[in-house]
Amino acid sequence: GFELEVMKGAPRTLSTRPTLFLEMHGAGEEDKRQRVTAIVRHLWEELGYRNIFHVETKQQITMENAAVAKRGHLYVRAQ
């Protein structure tokens, strides 16, 4: 459940725009939804990633549909 905190603590590493594979965690459905929304917002707004995919559904994730990824994994790569 510390995915966002890990990303915020690794600015130098993430500045190289590595490919990321993230597993979503949370205490319950609402917690997972809030966490994945915050993670996607950070990836999108702070780190500039646009190629964010929900592994299980192969759906591209944006700020508008971030909650889709509350279960499963995100595959994130630079443009």
Side-chain angles (χ1 to χ4, degrees), residues 17 37-52 60-65 76 79:
R17 313 271 296 155
T37 299
I39 288 166
V40 171
R41 180 176 293 115
H42 186 72
L43 289 167
W44 194 271
E45 294 176 357
E46 302 300 321
L47 301 176
Y49 281 98
R50 297 294 184 267
N51 293 314
I52 305 170
Q60 186 164 11
I61 300 299
T62 65
M63 288 302 304
E64 290 75 33
N65 69 348
V76 184
Q79 312 243 95

Side-chain angles (χ1 to χ4, degrees), residues 13-74:
T13 298
L14 294 176
S15 72
T16 66
R17 313 271 296 155
T19 297
L20 305 172
F21 187 80
L22 305 168
E23 184 173 2
M24 299 297 101
H25 290 279
E29 292 301 309
E30 182 59 21
D31 186 47
K32 288 178 185 179
R33 187 192 64 73
Q34 289 175 0
R35 287 178 186 272
V36 74
T37 299
I39 288 166
V40 171
R41 180 176 293 115
H42 186 72
L43 289 167
W44 194 271
E45 294 176 357
E46 302 300 321
L47 301 176
Y49 281 98
R50 297 294 184 267
N51 293 314
I52 305 170
F53 297 91
H54 184 233
V55 172
E56 287 73 14
T57 64
K58 303 194 180 8
Q59 185 173 359
Q60 186 164 11
I61 300 299
T62 65
M63 288 302 304
E64 290 75 33
N65 69 348
V68 167
K70 67 183 177 186
R71 284 197 185 126
H73 305 83
L74 289 178

